[in-house]
Amino acid sequence: MIVALDVGGTSMKGAVLTRELDKVASVRNPTPRGQAAVDAVLDTVDELIGLAGATPEAVGVAVPGIVDDTTGIAVWSENIGWRDVPFRDLISERTGTRVAVGHDVRAGGTAEIRLGAARGVRNALVMPIGTGISAAMLIDGHLCVGDGYAGEIGHMSVGTDDPCVCGGKGCLEAVAAAPAVARAYTARTGRALETHAVTALAQAGDPDALAVWNETIDHLATALATATTLLAPEIIVIGGGLSKAGDLLLKPLETALHARLAYQRRPRIVEASFSDEAGTIGAALWARDLL
């Protein structure tokens, strides 16, 4: 058996799988903050091993923030509040088995590149839009890993004065992540709604929701135009909660991006194949790679 865990900013999703990636059992637990989050990750791995009924052949864990995939250290996460957590060593010592630890978006990217929407291309960008924004980059057939700092497209400036949790201003994440859509609608109308409700209003043609939605698309297109100039992806895969809007997001975003390009390759923009299961599947693939 293989154990896989995808730690998100709100909840963590885990699974016990066979080598063929057939799911045997699954769990979903809330993600607390600070040291409590570290403890919750370790406890959830223990819970999954209990469901497996025996020590698994390998464990794969995907965590957010800045992550050094080589050492398995969660370097920093502003949203969760941990720093320099040696998850690979902690889990290996606790379980006595092989462990792979990496960035949650690269885990999702691994799933999409090997098995999903980006399968078969040599250059791709996989960008989930949820609580935050980051990207997995496939360049000439190689997933860019490094020491964990690459791919932070959410902290690329799109030229606004909006403050970001990172301490900067004008970051894409501050104006185009899911919570930013809800904040922008509240600022415009005085009505506090969840992001999914704003999306539904935009789909129904509500003028205020559409104005917020179109502004969000403009910010995303601005950042993706820069990324396209640098990386020349053949395809851009959009995942995360905002991707569930489907053509309300994908078609206008592709049009807005192409309008900003001149000589550059014009990538297709498509929805992710695995939605919120991508991180778990990617973590399972990393675990299987250890075998």
Side-chain angles (χ1 to χ4, degrees):
M1 294 294 176
I2 289 169
V3 161
L5 180 63
D6 175 25
V7 181
T10 304
S11 65
M12 54 185 78
K13 301 176 288 292
V16 179
L17 308 99
T18 67
R19 281 195 182 205
E20 291 72 36
L21 303 185
D22 295 318
K23 189 182 292 185
V24 176
S26 62
V27 299
R28 183 185 288 258
N29 293 328
T31 304
R33 295 293 179 266
Q35 181 59 42
V38 177
D39 296 337
V41 170
L42 300 177
D43 290 344
T44 302
V45 170
D46 286 344
E47 182 181 358
L48 288 163
I49 290 174
L51 292 171
T55 301
E57 293 183 279
V59 175
V61 179
V63 295
I66 303 299
V67 187
D68 188 328
D69 294 32
T70 303
T71 63
I73 294 174
V75 178
W76 174 67
S77 171
E78 174 67 29
N79 291 329
I80 294 181
W82 60 38
R83 186 179 291 274
D84 296 325
V85 182
F87 274 119
R88 188 184 68 185
D89 292 344
L90 289 173
I91 296 169
S92 180
E93 290 168 6
R94 192 156 169 154
T95 64
T97 193
R98 290 164 283 196
V99 180
V101 173
H103 191 267
D104 58 345
V105 173
R106 284 192 289 278
T110 298
E112 295 293 341
I113 289 162
R114 294 194 195 180
L115 304 174
R119 187 175 185 178
V121 304
R122 294 191 61 79
N123 297 278
L125 197 68
V126 181
M127 189 177 79
I129 307 171
T131 305
I133 301 176
S134 186
M137 302 178 295
L138 183 72
I139 303 172
D140 195 25
H142 300 281
L143 184 64
C144 183
V145 178
D147 58 2
Y149 286 88
E152 290 294 329
I153 191 172
H155 297 288
M156 180 186 295
S157 175
V158 291
T160 75
D161 291 325
D162 298 80
C164 181
V165 294
C166 74
K169 285 187 176 182
C171 294
L172 176 66
E173 186 173 297
V175 294
V181 174
R183 287 196 303 270
Y185 183 81
T186 300
R188 184 180 181 90
T189 66
R191 298 173 59 202
L193 295 178
E194 297 291 333
T195 304
H196 66 86
V198 178
T199 303
L201 285 174
Q203 288 173 322
D206 177 82
D208 289 316
L210 278 172
V212 168
W213 195 257
N214 290 334
E215 188 174 66
T216 301
I217 287 172
D218 282 343
H219 293 317
L220 290 168
T222 296
L224 287 175
T226 301
T228 297
T229 302
L230 291 171
L231 304 173
E234 301 158 59
I235 191 169
I236 296 173
V237 180
I238 304 295
L242 235 59
S243 70
K244 295 176 183 177
D247 284 347
L248 181 70
L249 173 68
L250 303 177
K251 294 299 183 183
L253 179 55
E254 185 175 272
T255 299
L257 170 60
H258 290 181
R260 287 164 167 77
L261 303 177
Y263 65 90
Q264 299 95 326
R265 175 186 286 157
R266 297 191 169 198
R268 293 182 294 121
I269 295 183
V270 300
E271 185 177 352
S273 296
F274 295 113
S275 187
D276 64 350
E277 294 294 317
T280 307
I281 294 169
L285 288 167
W286 290 345
R288 192 171 71 178
D289 289 346
L290 297 175
L291 309 180

